[in-house]
Amino acid sequence: MNNFHAVVTITLRKGILDVQGKTVEHALHSSSFSSLSNVRIGKHVEMNVVADSEESAFTQIDAACKALIANPIIEDYHITLHKTEVA
Amino acid sequence: MNNFHAVVTITLRKGILDVQGKTVEHALHSSSFSSLSNVRIGKHVEMNVVADSEESAFTQIDAACKALIANPIIEDYHITLHKTEVA
């Protein structure tokens, strides 16, 4: 079995209104950061995975994203895997 | 003036208990994703910046992170900048 470190970046799909991002953008503009725009806020999820192969690790994380971590109806997600030390 | 696209990744500092991550980890283990562990959840913030130079863009985003976007007491943040089309 191999150990992997995974990073999942979850972003709201284009066209979906980002209420949190808009709120932060308004706060930035009120705080004299007027050169920043189009703020969009997503999630950055890190985890460790134990799997036979990189393919198996990817499949497990993809299934976990679909089932629990992301909301595929309104969010896109991107998975990055790195092999780490053997347990 | 140049346009830049910035990605800020905000993570909880090591040693800070990640309650959200632990909750997701327990939910994963209850949903037969037992090979996933050490789940930690951070934020992924994207924005556009207008600035004279990359240094100026970085300085503005760094100031915005310290003031508003991140909580430097419990969070680390990492800024990535890419130059985009001229406005």
Side-chain angles (χ1 to χ4, degrees):
Chain A
M1 298 298 262
N2 296 302
N3 275 10
F4 297 90
H5 182 73
V7 173
V8 182
T9 304
I10 302 167
T11 49
L12 272 180
R13 292 191 165 203
K14 273 187 190 175
I16 304 280
L17 178 67
D18 184 347
V19 181
Q20 199 185 358
K22 280 281 169 227
T23 306
V24 169
E25 189 172 327
H26 287 146
L28 286 166
H29 291 178
S30 307
S31 310
S32 76
F33 294 107
S34 52
S35 56
L36 311 184
S37 62
N38 275 331
V39 181
R40 289 187 73 84
I41 300 185
K43 274 167 260 174
H44 170 93
V45 184
E46 298 185 25
M47 69 194 82
N48 294 332
V49 198
V50 180
D52 289 328
S53 64
E54 193 161 328
E55 290 71 37
S56 161
F58 188 91
T59 307
Q60 287 182 60
I61 295 171
D62 191 60
C65 283
K66 285 203 173 75
L68 246 167
I69 300 173
N71 178 349
I73 297 168
I74 58 165
E75 291 171 334
D76 289 321
Y77 59 88
H78 178 80
I79 300 167
T80 316
L81 271 179
H82 296 286
K83 195 169 174 179
T84 53
E85 298 290 302
V86 178
Chain B
M1 299 297 262
N2 296 302
N3 276 11
F4 297 90
H5 182 72
V7 173
V8 182
T9 304
I10 302 167
T11 48
L12 272 179
R13 292 191 164 202
K14 273 187 188 173
I16 304 279
L17 178 67
D18 184 348
V19 181
Q20 199 185 358
K22 280 282 169 228
T23 306
V24 170
E25 189 172 326
H26 287 146
L28 286 167
H29 290 179
S30 307
S31 310
S32 76
F33 293 107
S34 53
S35 57
L36 311 185
S37 62
N38 277 329
V39 180
R40 288 186 75 82
I41 299 183
K43 274 167 261 176
H44 171 93
V45 184
E46 298 185 24
M47 70 194 83
N48 294 334
V49 199
V50 180
D52 290 328
S53 63
E54 192 161 329
E55 290 70 38
S56 160
F58 188 90
T59 307
Q60 288 182 60
I61 296 171
D62 192 58
C65 283
K66 285 203 173 74
L68 246 168
I69 300 172
N71 177 350
I73 298 168
I74 58 165
E75 291 171 333
D76 289 321
Y77 59 89
H78 178 79
I79 299 166
T80 316
L81 271 180
H82 297 285
K83 195 169 174 180
T84 53
E85 297 292 302
V86 178

